Amino acid sequence: NQQTKERFAIEAAAVAAAAPALIWRRPSDHDCDRTEAIEVAPIAIDGSGQTVEVVGAGRLRGILLHKLMEEFLNGELREDDREVEARATVLLEQLAGMELALQTVPPDPIEIAATALRTLRSAEITELRPQLMPEAAVWSGSDETGYVAGRADAVTVDEGRVIAVLDWKSDVSPTAKQRSDYVAQLTEYLVATGASRGALVYMSLGETVWITTNHDHASVVEEPA
C-alpha cells in the first residue's frame, strides 16, 4: 500500500471536484400557506371601497383555500355553494386537529367557501379554467440558472407546454415586501417552466396581478388586472 497522507488529500480533492454539491432553490418553502410557522391573519382591511373581514388562524385559512381550489380544478368538488361550505367545514375539522390547538378564533368555513368560489368565478380564472392543472410539480436545473424545485398552485397547459403559472395567495393585507417576494417566487417558476407570464391571485382581496418575464434578461413587468 503506497498511500500517503498527501496522496490521499490530492485524491480526495479530485473526487470532490468531480462531484460538486447541488444546491436546490425551493421558492415555496417560505410561503406562509405552506410552511410550519403559525400566524394570525390581520382582522380587516379596506381596499377598493370594500372591507374584507377575516378572523382566525391565517396559515390554516390559507391551507383550506388552497385545498378547495385544488379540488375544484381536479373535479373532486362541484361549484355548489352548500357543498363547498360543507367541504370547508370537514377540512377545517380535519386540519385543525392535525395542525394545531387553536389559540385564537378559528377561520370561518363559510367565509372560506365564499372566497374560494369568488376566486373560481372571477373573469380571469373562468377564462383559463379549461386549461388549468392544479398542484403541478416544477423543477429545472442548469449551470447558468441553478437548480429549482417546487410545486406551482396551478398551471395552464396547451399541447404539453406550460403557458402560464398561477399562485394563490390568501393574504388579507400583504406588505410591499411580501408582494415583492411573491413576484420573485413566481418568477422562479416562470423561468423553470419556460412560461412567459404568471398571476398572483390575491383571493381575499379579489385582486389578480399578472407578471410577465423576459427570460433573456430576467426582467419582470407587473400588469394591472
Side-chain angles (χ1 to χ4, degrees):
N1 185 351
Q2 302 300 312
Q3 182 69 279
T4 65
K5 182 178 179 180
E6 291 74 18
R7 184 174 179 178
F8 179 84
I10 293 172
E11 292 174 348
V15 170
L22 300 181
I23 300 176
W24 289 83
R25 299 195 306 277
R26 303 179 63 87
S28 294
D29 280 357
H30 301 292
D31 195 318
C32 64
D33 293 335
R34 294 178 181 271
T35 61
E36 290 300 321
I38 306 299
E39 296 185 1
V40 178
I43 298 301
I45 82 161
D46 188 1
S48 303
Q50 234 178 357
T51 299
V52 180
E53 293 190 1
V54 176
V55 179
R59 176 175 183 261
L60 189 55
R61 177 177 176 272
I63 292 173
L64 286 169
L65 285 169
H66 278 69
K67 181 61 176 171
L68 290 178
M69 294 305 293
E70 177 187 357
E71 294 187 0
F72 282 140
L73 296 181
N74 65 21
E76 290 182 90
L77 184 59
R78 294 189 307 143
E79 190 180 337
D80 177 86
D81 292 43
R82 297 301 180 191
E83 186 173 327
V84 178
E85 290 174 6
R87 179 60 177 155
T89 300
V90 170
L91 287 171
L92 177 60
E93 292 172 352
Q94 294 175 342
L95 291 173
M98 293 169 55
E99 289 289 325
L100 73 162
L102 289 173
Q103 300 298 313
T104 184
V105 179
D108 179 4
I110 296 178
E111 181 275 327
I112 291 171
T115 299
L117 283 166
R118 183 176 66 246
T119 302
L120 186 71
R121 294 166 178 167
S122 67
E124 291 91 349
I125 304 307
T126 298
E127 180 180 353
L128 297 174
R129 191 171 176 183
Q131 295 178 305
L132 277 178
M133 181 177 72
E135 294 296 316
V138 174
W139 66 272
S140 71
S142 72
D143 293 337
E144 292 77 24
T145 62
Y147 297 83
V148 175
R151 186 170 294 276
D153 292 336
V155 297
T156 63
V157 180
D158 184 23
E159 297 182 352
R161 180 169 168 264
V162 177
I163 305 300
V165 180
L166 274 64
D167 199 353
W168 317 123
K169 296 300 181 188
S170 63
D171 309 54
V172 175
S173 55
T175 65
K177 183 180 185 307
Q178 286 174 322
R179 286 178 178 268
S180 177
D181 289 345
Y182 293 155
V183 170
Q185 174 187 336
L186 182 57
T187 302
E188 291 261 31
Y189 288 152
L190 296 181
V191 173
T193 60
S196 61
R197 68 176 193 148
L200 295 168
V201 182
Y202 292 97
M203 303 175 69
S204 302
L205 303 178
E207 174 188 346
T208 300
V209 178
W210 282 98
I211 308 297
T212 60
T213 182
N214 182 325
H215 294 293
D216 292 334
H217 303 289
S219 61
V220 177
V221 179
E222 293 192 32
E223 301 176 351

